[in-house]
Amino acid sequence: MTNTESFENVVLELRRGVIVLAVLSQLSDEQYGYSLQKLLSDQGLEVDQGTLYPLLRRLEAQGLLESVWKLEEARPRRYYVISAEGKKLLPKLKKEWAAIVSVMNKMLA
Amino acid sequence: MKLINRYVTEVGKRLPLVKGRKDIENELRSTLEDMLEDRAQKSDKPADEAMEVDLLKEYGSPQKVAETYNPTPYLIGPRMFPKFIIILKIVIAAVTLGMTIVMAIQVVTLSPMTGMELLKVIGEGLLNIVSTSIAAFGNIALVFALIERFAPASEFKLDEDEKWDPTSLMKEPEPEDIKAWEQILAIVFTFIVISIFNFNPQIIGLNYMTGNEWKVIPILSEAFFRWLPLMNIAWVAEILLNGMLLRAGKWQISSRLFSIAIKVFQIVIGYFLLTGPAIITVTAESLKAIEGFDAEAAQILGTMAQQGTQGIIALVMFRIAIDIIKSVVKMFRQKTSM
């Protein structure tokens, strides 16, 4: 494995860990897949569709999201929104995240 | 939009047969249409085929997209894989050893033979080892794949995760502790013994040549096979005992008692074998019946074979009796240390 590959793999692992939190945090208002991807991208987090869509399905299967099909501009779109269970989990995840950031900031200072 | 529709169909074909497949297709179609519309707006011209081609190229091959939805990418998952390798090694080693012993018995009983005959026996033996190992590999992989499919390790906590306690590293290994591989090997070998005596007893035969023809006399007599059901009970009980030991990970009072019961039963079988009719067919008379066999030699060999067999049975019974005494002593020590 080359150095570039190792670097890319580590970055991928780091990002994979934060995507769930990012997605849950952005779905207090309902979004469809593509609009969510743009919303994340506009804030600086690029997420590949191949990662985002299966993740949305998984989070829905876990009961953290809910989804509904809506017909808009003659196009059916699947809208996702955070569920009651997801809302309970989100503050705990935010706290965990803050702790991780604080520890890592100290460690890397 | 024609290309997008075809692309979605291609992805759909490659999706696992799960609930919500149609949903995935619809969502993918609506996303691609949104993306295409976005591109058209940005470039200030209506969407065309070239734009569709670019978009789909960036989105990736239908195979790659379908793979991202695949929930079971493993045949045998990473948590079960080390166990798979351990069992595979033990079984392949047991099969190789067992088949090599069978091959060696054939070489000894068929001797003397020409170089070509020897090569044939060895060649067939090696082929047997290879084909049986491949079959064993297939069967074990199938069992593990079924476990992975219907009871994946990722969905349950393995017992050892919960029970494992670092303080277990501090104590000296106890004599009551058993080694799992010994029990697994014992089970595999007992299976081999059961299958030979019950299904392939012709392996145990005396081969000799008269003229240009090989003849085989079965060594074990009808009287032996009369006791086979009792021996089967003892072997199955041994397998159960080894299974118990594997589960518990050490000797317990119950397994000691069970083991002693099996050994007593084996001594009873030994007594029947010893006092009943001859269990092997090699007698002075049967040897004399062989064409060209010297009468005096037949008398000596026949008597040796009969008395030798009885001697071996008596020795084995003696050994089992000593084992029983050892087990009783260990059981009492274990009881007092508890």
Side-chain angles (χ1 to χ4, degrees), chain A residues 32-34 37-38 49-51 53-54 56-57 69 73 75-78 80, chain B residues 1 19-24 26-27 30-31 33-35 37-38 59 68-69:
Chain A
Y32 55 96
Y34 187 51
Q37 195 199 7
K38 283 202 288 188
Q49 270 106 350
T51 309
Y53 287 93
L56 289 170
R57 294 184 69 79
W69 280 97
E73 302 159 28
R75 185 174 299 155
R77 283 181 177 138
R78 189 179 196 170
Y80 295 89
Chain B
M1 303 286 175
K19 216 174 77 186
R21 184 174 162 167
K22 208 77 212 150
D23 250 14
I24 295 175
N26 289 338
E27 192 173 31
S30 103
T31 303
E33 285 169 1
D34 275 339
M35 289 172 88
E37 205 175 274
D38 242 20
Y59 210 88
T68 61
Y69 288 97

Side-chain angles (χ1 to χ4, degrees), chain B residues 16-206:
Chain B
L17 288 170
V18 288
K19 216 174 77 186
R21 184 174 162 167
K22 208 77 212 150
D23 250 14
I24 295 175
E25 286 183 29
N26 289 338
E27 192 173 31
L28 179 62
R29 183 178 297 110
S30 103
T31 303
L32 288 168
E33 285 169 1
D34 275 339
M35 289 172 88
L36 189 66
E37 205 175 274
D38 242 20
R39 285 180 183 219
Q41 270 175 10
K42 273 181 197 158
S43 61
D44 239 359
K45 57 178 186 183
D48 56 14
E49 211 175 68
M51 226 180 259
E52 263 186 280
V53 169
D54 280 348
L55 169 68
L56 296 179
K57 202 168 182 184
E58 269 174 46
Y59 210 88
S61 73
Q63 183 63 43
K64 205 181 111 195
V65 175
E67 273 169 15
T68 61
Y69 288 97
N70 191 354
T72 50
Y74 294 116
L75 182 65
I76 298 167
R79 294 198 72 186
M80 292 299 276
F81 194 71
K83 288 186 173 53
F84 168 71
I85 292 294
I86 292 172
I87 301 282
L88 191 65
K89 278 183 184 167
I90 291 172
V91 172
I92 299 281
V95 163
T96 309
L97 190 64
M99 297 301 240
T100 310
I101 291 171
V102 169
M103 189 165 68
I105 291 172
Q106 279 179 332
V107 170
V108 173
T109 52
L110 288 173
S111 294
M113 53 183 161
T114 63
M116 276 310 285
E117 283 169 335
L118 183 68
L119 274 180
K120 195 175 160 233
V121 169
I122 292 176
E124 278 173 0
L126 291 177
L127 266 181
N128 268 340
I129 291 175
V130 172
S131 62
T132 318
S133 298
I134 292 172
F137 179 88
N139 283 322
I140 298 167
L142 179 68
V143 169
F144 274 84
L146 286 175
I147 292 174
E148 188 63 44
R149 184 80 186 77
F150 296 108
S154 51
E155 282 184 15
F156 59 83
K157 270 194 160 182
L158 293 173
D159 285 355
E160 60 210 64
D161 295 346
E162 284 167 17
K163 283 185 196 155
W164 191 75
D165 175 5
T167 55
S168 64
L169 299 173
M170 283 153 69
K171 64 172 187 184
E172 292 291 314
E174 286 177 23
E176 273 73 30
D177 286 351
I178 57 116
K179 293 185 189 77
W181 65 267
E182 282 180 3
Q183 262 54 48
I184 295 175
L185 263 191
I187 291 173
V188 171
F189 277 114
T190 315
F191 265 115
I192 293 174
V193 168
I194 291 177
S195 66
I196 288 180
F197 281 108
N198 286 279
F199 308 113
N200 300 298
Q202 71 280 4
I203 289 180
I204 312 150
L206 197 65

Side-chain angles (χ1 to χ4, degrees), chain B residues 216-258:
Chain B
V216 184
I217 324 177
I219 288 184
L220 297 167
S221 73
E222 222 177 292
F224 174 86
F225 288 100
R226 219 177 295 154
W227 301 118
L228 192 57
L230 287 186
M231 291 183 216
N232 280 334
I233 293 174
W235 287 325
V236 171
E238 288 261 17
I239 291 177
L240 288 178
L241 172 67
N242 282 308
M244 269 170 79
L245 290 173
L246 259 182
R247 268 181 80 103
K250 60 177 183 181
W251 282 98
Q252 290 166 317
I253 305 287
S254 54
S255 44
R256 288 252 187 247
L257 282 173
F258 188 33

Side-chain angles (χ1 to χ4, degrees), chain A residues 48-66:
Chain A
D48 181 49
Q49 270 106 350
T51 309
L52 185 62
Y53 287 93
L55 174 74
L56 289 170
R57 294 184 69 79
R58 211 165 51 240
L59 292 177
E60 190 185 7
Q62 288 169 1
L64 301 175
L65 294 182
E66 282 163 2

